[in-house]
Amino acid sequence: MQASIANSIVAALQQVLGVQSAALHEPRFGGNEWRYLKECLDSTFVSSVGKFVDRLEADLADYTGSAYAVAVVNGTSALHIALMLAGVRQGDEVLLPSLTFVATANAASYCGAVPHFVDSEIATLGIDANRLRQYLSDKTEMTSGLCINRETGRVIRALVPMHCFGHPGDIDGLLAVARDFNIVMVEDAAESLGSWYGHRHTGTFGKLGTLSFNGNKTITTGGGGAILTQDLELAKLAKHMTTTAKQSHVWEYSHDMVGYNYRMPNINAALGCAQLEQLPELINAKRRLYQAYEEAFAEVAGVELFREPAGSQSNYWLQTLLLSEDNKDQRDAILSATNTLGLMTRPAWTLMHRLPAYEGCPRMASLSVAENLADRIINIPSGSALGMGLD
C-alpha cells in the first residue's frame, strides 16, 4: 500500500508536469522586471526613496480595492505594525489559527501579546467561525466592552484569520464573531494576493490586512509586504511608523515616537511593479495547473486535491493534496519518495501549539481538526510557470 500510493502520486505529478524535477514554488519573471530594475539603478534611488514605492502602493490599492496600501520590508513586519495599529498591546491576547506559518504568532509576540490558538475547519483550511463563537461564549465575558478571557484575565484584543495556501477563510462568519465579541479583525492575507471572497479581495475586510511578497509568493519583490486599510489616518500612521517615525524636514532628523525601519527599498518595489502587472496572467496559469492536477488525481485512490471554498476564487498559491484517513500514515513516505525524485513536496507547517516557543500559550482544549489536517496535507509543485503551457 505504501509503495502503491506513493507511486501513484509520483505518476500523477509527472503526467501533469512532464518534467523529472520541479520546485514547490518559484518566481516567474516574464515582464518589465529588467527594464524597471535598470531604471531604478540608473536613477541611483535604490533604497528608501523613489517612485517605484509610491507606484507599487497605488497599484496594490487599485488591484485589491483597498483605499490605501503601505509597502514594507516583509509580510511579518506588515502584520506586526497592523496589530499595533489595531490596538494590540503588552499582555493582550490575539486569536489565531494553530495551522499557520510561524510569522502569524511571531507578529503577535513582537507586540508583547500572547497568541491564543484556535481550531480550523476542513472546508476552508482556515479558522472555524462556528467553533470559535461557541468557544468564546464558554470561555470569555464582556467587561466594559472588552472581551476578557476568564481563565487568564487578559483582554482578547484581536482576531487574525490566515487565508491558508491562498484560500479565503469564512470571512462573513469571522467578521460576525469579531463584531459580537468586540474584537478587532486583522487579516493575514500573506498568501492570498489575487484571491477573492465573493467580489471582494482578501485583506480588505478587517480593520487592516497584510500581504507578503517573499520569493515563494505568487508575485515577489524579493522580500516585501504591505499593509492594507480603508482608513486614511491608519494608513498615514502605518507609513510613519514603518519609516522610523521620522518627521518631515529638509535636513533635521527628528522622530516623534518609537518607529521601525520597515521600509521597502525602491529597488524591491521596482521588481514588484513589474510582477504586479503580470498578476492576472500568473493566477490564470495557476488555475490551469489546478485543473490539470484535478484531472490527474481523480484516478488516484486515497487522496484528493483541495478545491477553493464555495463562493470564493483562490489564487491557488500552493496546490494541496489531502490524504484519506486510511492513508495519512503514509505521508512521510510520500514526501520522501517525491523529494528523492526531485519533485518538491512539503507537509503543512508544524502546528503553533507544538512549537517550544508557543506550547504554553492559551488554546482551545481540542485542536483536532488542525491536528488532523497537519497529518494529511501535502503541498505539491505550484509555481505559475508550471501552468503556462497548459490548455
Side-chain angles (χ1 to χ4, degrees), residues 8-315:
S8 296
I9 287 174
V10 167
L13 290 173
Q14 291 177 333
Q15 173 186 328
V16 172
L17 302 176
V19 294
Q20 293 302 311
S21 63
L24 185 68
H25 198 290
E26 58 186 358
R28 179 180 184 274
F29 304 118
N32 287 314
E33 288 89 353
W34 283 108
R35 175 187 162 197
Y36 293 167
L37 287 171
K38 184 179 186 307
E39 182 178 341
C40 184
L41 291 170
D42 288 344
S43 76
T44 74
F45 287 97
V46 298
S47 189
S48 57
V49 177
K51 73 173 189 179
F52 286 110
V53 174
D54 295 337
R55 176 179 163 182
L56 181 62
E57 291 175 338
D59 289 352
L60 283 169
D62 182 63
Y63 179 84
T64 62
S66 179
Y68 307 99
V70 177
V72 293
V73 70
N74 55 51
T76 308
S77 61
L79 190 54
H80 175 202
I81 297 300
L83 288 172
M84 292 185 68
L85 293 171
V88 174
R89 297 294 181 264
Q90 181 88 25
D92 288 344
E93 292 183 9
V94 177
L95 299 167
L96 53 94
S98 188
L99 180 62
T100 188
F101 180 58
V102 71
T104 315
N106 285 346
S109 297
Y110 297 164
C111 298
V114 179
H116 187 148
F117 302 116
V118 298
D119 208 4
S120 300
E121 61 177 3
I122 292 177
T124 66
L125 305 180
I127 294 175
D128 186 326
N130 292 326
R131 283 194 60 206
L132 177 59
R133 176 178 292 279
Q134 186 60 56
Y135 176 70
L136 293 176
S137 297
D138 294 342
K139 300 294 184 180
T140 70
E141 59 187 31
M142 298 301 295
T143 303
S144 301
L146 299 175
C147 182
I148 307 296
N149 182 338
R150 284 200 297 265
E151 292 184 2
T152 65
R154 291 189 288 252
V155 176
I156 297 179
R157 188 78 64 182
L159 167 64
V160 185
M162 192 276 289
H163 302 299
C164 192
F165 307 137
H167 302 295
D170 178 11
I171 294 176
D172 284 341
L174 293 169
L175 279 172
V177 171
R179 179 193 63 234
D180 293 346
F181 289 88
N182 196 27
I183 299 170
V184 180
M185 192 167 100
V186 176
E187 290 175 75
D188 183 348
E191 302 170 1
S192 64
L193 179 65
S195 295
W196 304 79
Y197 182 83
H199 298 290
R200 191 167 165 184
H201 196 281
T202 55
T204 66
F205 292 85
K207 190 178 185 73
L208 302 111
T210 62
L211 301 170
S212 171
F213 311 122
N214 190 37
N216 66 344
K217 296 301 190 294
T218 305
I219 69 166
T220 185
T221 57
I227 300 166
L228 304 178
T229 184
Q230 311 299 336
D231 188 311
L232 175 60
E233 294 308 312
L234 286 180
K236 288 180 178 179
L237 187 53
K239 192 69 170 179
H240 188 59
M241 290 173 66
T242 57
T243 54
T244 71
K246 182 181 180 297
Q247 294 181 295
S248 180
H249 194 276
V250 175
W251 67 82
E252 280 192 352
Y253 282 82
S254 180
H255 308 263
D256 60 0
M257 63 187 297
V258 174
Y260 300 84
N261 189 6
Y262 285 171
R263 300 169 289 191
M264 176 184 284
N266 194 48
I267 195 166
N268 295 81
L271 182 62
C273 288
Q275 287 271 284
L276 191 56
E277 290 174 347
Q278 302 164 73
L279 183 56
E281 177 188 5
L282 298 177
I283 291 177
N284 285 338
K286 290 171 75 62
R287 294 183 68 82
R288 289 196 299 272
L289 181 61
Y290 167 81
Q291 292 165 0
Y293 276 145
E294 184 179 42
E295 181 177 342
F297 281 98
E299 303 302 320
V300 180
V303 66
E304 64 176 312
L305 186 67
F306 188 82
R307 183 184 182 88
E308 63 193 358
S312 299
Q313 180 170 308
S314 175
N315 66 2

Side-chain angles (χ1 to χ4, degrees), residues 296-371:
F297 281 98
E299 303 302 320
V300 180
V303 66
E304 64 176 312
L305 186 67
F306 188 82
R307 183 184 182 88
E308 63 193 358
S312 299
Q313 180 170 308
S314 175
N315 66 2
Y316 283 106
W317 171 57
L318 287 186
Q319 311 282 349
T320 303
L321 298 179
L322 283 177
L323 298 174
S324 67
E325 292 289 342
D326 292 341
N327 286 289
K328 66 182 183 181
D329 61 339
Q330 309 302 324
R331 189 199 71 170
D332 289 358
I334 295 165
L335 291 166
S336 178
T338 50
N339 281 283
T340 296
L341 291 172
L343 298 169
M344 189 178 292
T345 59
R346 290 289 185 270
W349 316 276
T350 298
L351 298 175
M352 295 301 99
H353 70 280
R354 291 174 171 168
L355 295 178
Y358 296 121
E359 61 186 2
C361 291
R363 58 187 173 102
M364 285 183 173
S366 172
L367 296 170
S368 58
V369 175
E371 290 170 348

